[in-house]
Amino acid sequence: MKIKVILWTLVLTTLHVSAQIKHGLRDDLGRHVIPRGFVVNTNDHEGEVFFSSDDYARMVRMGANTQVIRLELGKLSRFPGGKLDPNYLKKLDTLVALGQHSGIKTVFKMTVYGVDKFVWETFWKNKKGEYKTYIDAWKVIWNRYATNTSVLGYDVVNEPRKLTMKMSYEKLTNDFLIPLYQKIIDESQNINADKLILFQSIFMNKGEKIDNNQYSEVTAPINRKNIVFAPHIYQNDIDFIKRNMDRFDRESDMLKAPILIGEWGFPTFATTDTLIQGNLGQLKYRELYIRTAEVFDRMGVGAIKAWFLGNRSMQHFLPGGPSTWSIFSDSTDVGTVERKYITDVIARPFPQAIAGDIQSFLFDHAKRTLSLNIVPDYAKGPSTLFIGANRHYPDGFSILIDDDIVLYYDPLKTVGMETYKSPYNVSASDFIWDAFRQKLIILKWPKGRKRLNIKIVPGLRNF
């Protein structure tokens, strides 16, 4: 069964008083949605990148319901060295369509790549109408996808910089960045008010950090609707992960905007693919990613991993040798050989779309158990859990609901979900296992219950 997500709006605790998770989104049915997926690049340092339907099938089988397409300013604008490229627009159409056909929503993110030289200090001064030129580039995208319901929204300025400007990060944010965001939001919503606007904070200069966080704090509100706070986190110190996310959470409260992590996952080194132990070894990375994922899950935030690419563009941007954000190790633009020490964490089980309110969820990597607590809403259609049984439950899995329902999936059979025990009014036919997409679809929750405690556990009849 194919689940189609159409239009997402914000979920705020003021609207759903009982909800403990405030960072989810809502689709047109009112279901509680957790976005996850990957940054999709249109190019890398070796040239253009091309994707196929098979690549999108892999995304889906890794739990993706959202893609962030990284736009190149030089192919959309009149900045020096740039011009509007019609073939580039056709390529974007293809990526959106590939996502839509796979059940993946699209966010566009503007980068400043592709122009002769983008000087942030000059941009902020706006003496030659740089803001208008930048917004005109966005208007190409806004107008093109205004009525496309698979396009969720726009991440409008990627990692803005201060560099040599003689002012504080707070002043740059309050006096320049936020007014720019307000102008961009107003212009965008004149074209289509239903699209979400994602925004980031200033990326601090190299060597400048607060609590080991290189993204400066937002201390003033934007005062606009349909906004989402999309910070990046590339934290390599386990002790700082929760502290960084707690700060983002406080900013989110002040901004009245839910969080969707726009990029995450500390880059791996070429040597990591060959090492088990040590500071650059796979065990170290697996623990780092697991601890980050646990913080995300406890907060209920969606998260986008960079990048859905192969290994052909490794760079020397960190001490320790060539490194990359790519999740595949093939020496091609798009790969198939997963870095499983990180992808098994990225592709962990989670609730994708829930008919009702998600109160809490967490995947325990040691026990291979997804725990989920919800307030069901029977009028909002089916629910979808990403399970990833091919990597997490090759021994099969059981779904436990409260203390009286046990269903299980046996990978040695082809009969779908089976019932071990349940009340008379609960049928296994309401629980559909989609083996290709690695999703469990629940057509309807058991009726008459104000709250449901759900667990996905390894093995058959395991309770």
Side-chain angles (χ1 to χ4, degrees):
M1 180 178 177
K2 184 175 181 180
I3 303 299
K4 187 176 182 181
V5 178
I6 301 178
L7 177 64
W8 298 13
T9 55
L10 305 184
V11 174
L12 300 176
T13 51
T14 54
L15 298 179
H16 299 272
V17 177
S18 64
Q20 294 178 13
I21 289 178
K22 62 187 177 183
H23 296 296
L25 303 175
R26 295 274 166 176
D27 67 11
D28 67 318
L29 298 177
R31 296 180 302 176
H32 200 159
V33 177
I34 305 297
R36 276 197 200 158
F38 300 93
V39 175
V40 171
N41 300 38
T42 57
N43 71 342
D44 63 14
H45 290 274
E46 302 296 325
E48 286 202 71
V49 175
F50 296 96
F51 293 87
S52 70
S53 58
D54 289 344
D55 298 316
Y56 277 79
R58 292 186 187 93
M59 285 189 212
V60 169
R61 288 166 63 85
M62 296 175 75
N65 57 4
T66 309
Q67 65 172 336
V68 174
I69 299 176
R70 212 174 68 155
L71 297 173
E72 302 171 51
L73 184 62
K75 293 185 178 180
L76 295 167
S77 77
R78 295 179 288 103
F79 280 100
K83 67 176 182 178
L84 182 61
D85 183 345
N87 289 328
Y88 184 68
L89 296 177
K90 292 178 182 178
K91 183 175 185 177
L92 298 179
D93 290 345
T94 298
L95 295 175
V96 171
L98 286 169
Q100 185 173 12
H101 295 157
S102 302
I104 293 175
K105 283 285 189 178
T106 294
V107 171
F108 285 110
K109 171 162 60 181
M110 187 71 77
T111 72
V112 297
Y113 300 119
V115 299
D116 285 346
K117 186 178 181 181
F118 192 90
V119 181
W120 284 102
E121 296 91 332
T122 301
F123 177 74
W124 295 124
K125 293 175 183 177
N126 193 32
K127 289 184 176 180
K128 295 183 178 180
E130 285 86 354
Y131 289 3
K132 182 180 185 304
T133 303
Y134 188 86
I135 291 172
D136 284 346
W138 263 123
K139 284 182 177 179
V140 174
I141 300 298
W142 297 336
N143 283 303
R144 194 173 186 89
Y145 299 103
T147 60
N148 189 317
T149 55
S150 73
V151 174
L152 171 64
Y154 312 107
D155 194 343
V156 291
V157 184
N158 184 57
E159 295 188 337
R161 310 294 178 101
K162 177 171 81 76
L163 300 178
T164 63
M165 295 188 77
K166 304 299 183 183
M167 65 177 64
S168 67
Y169 289 104
E170 183 176 7
K171 181 175 177 58
L172 178 61
T173 299
N174 294 347
D175 295 355
F176 292 85
L177 182 62
I178 288 177
L180 175 62
Y181 281 153
Q182 292 170 330
K183 185 173 180 60
I184 291 174
I185 293 167
D186 292 344
E187 294 272 9
S188 176
Q189 293 182 345
N190 281 337
I191 294 172
N192 191 334
D194 292 330
K195 304 295 188 187
L196 299 179
I197 298 295
L198 286 69
F199 62 93
Q200 306 175 30
S201 53
I202 300 289
F203 185 72
M204 300 171 75
N205 292 342
K206 188 174 182 179
E208 298 181 28
K209 297 181 180 181
I210 300 172
D211 274 350
N212 209 42
N213 186 347
Q214 204 172 350
Y215 297 89
S216 65
E217 188 171 359
V218 181
T219 57
I222 294 177
N223 294 322
R224 294 295 188 273
K225 296 180 179 179
N226 278 2
I227 60 174
V228 177
F229 185 33
H232 297 177
I233 180 168
Y234 287 112
Q235 182 56 259
N236 66 334
D237 189 326
I238 287 175
D239 294 334
F240 284 97
I241 297 168
K242 188 175 185 303
R243 286 170 64 173
N244 290 173
M245 290 300 298
D246 284 347
R247 197 202 84 185
F248 292 151
D249 198 40
R250 292 191 297 272
E251 291 172 82
S252 168
D253 287 340
M254 180 273 297
L255 291 160
K256 295 183 172 60
I259 293 173
L260 169 57
I261 298 297
E263 292 181 14
W264 76 281
F266 197 75
T268 60
F269 292 82
T271 54
T272 308
D273 293 338
T274 66
L275 298 173
I276 293 295
Q277 296 180 319
N279 287 333
L280 301 182
Q282 294 176 22
L283 293 179
K284 187 82 171 181
Y285 270 87
R286 181 167 173 79
E287 182 181 12
L288 174 65
Y289 273 56
I290 284 174
R291 298 306 169 213
T292 305
E294 288 175 345
V295 174
F296 289 170
D297 286 3
R298 291 186 191 279
M299 288 180 64
V301 300
I304 306 298
K305 176 68 182 77
W307 295 321
F308 201 81
L309 290 182
N311 220 35
R312 74 177 185 178
S313 62
M314 269 203 167
Q315 303 168 61
H316 293 259
F317 56 85
L318 288 173
S323 53
T324 182
W325 287 278
S326 301
I327 66 167
F328 299 110
S329 62
D330 323 41
S331 56
T332 55
D333 56 347
V334 186
T336 62
V337 181
E338 294 182 23
R339 291 188 160 93
K340 281 186 68 63
Y341 53 92
I342 61 172
T343 55
D344 280 356
V345 181
I346 297 164
R348 65 198 181 280
F350 76 107
Q352 285 190 326
I354 296 296
D357 297 326
I358 301 173
Q359 303 294 293
S360 64
F361 71 92
L362 177 68
F363 181 68
D364 186 321
H365 289 79
K367 297 179 180 178
R368 287 189 290 150
T369 297
L370 174 66
S371 299
L372 172 65
N373 183 276
I374 70 168
V375 174
D377 188 329
Y378 307 99
K380 290 181 177 165
S383 300
T384 305
L385 305 181
F386 173 74
I387 304 296
N390 58 344
R391 66 181 72 233
H392 295 291
Y393 303 111
D395 39 4
F397 63 87
S398 299
I399 175 170
L400 318 177
I401 302 177
D402 293 336
D403 57 1
D404 60 341
I405 302 173
V406 178
L407 300 102
Y408 63 93
Y409 172 73
D410 186 343
L412 300 181
K413 299 180 181 179
T414 58
V415 296
M417 300 300 299
E418 299 181 76
T419 303
Y420 178 72
K421 69 172 183 176
S422 72
Y424 73 91
N425 60 345
V426 176
S427 172
S429 63
D430 291 331
F431 297 79
I432 300 172
W433 174 239
D434 185 335
F436 182 78
R437 294 175 177 83
Q438 295 289 294
K439 297 178 181 182
L440 179 64
I441 300 165
I442 300 97
L443 297 181
K444 57 184 178 181
W445 294 114
K447 288 189 175 180
R449 306 191 188 200
K450 293 183 178 179
R451 210 176 181 101
L452 292 173
N453 292 296
I454 303 158
K455 284 190 175 182
I456 305 292
V457 298
L460 312 181
R461 303 177 297 280
N462 181 15
F463 56 96

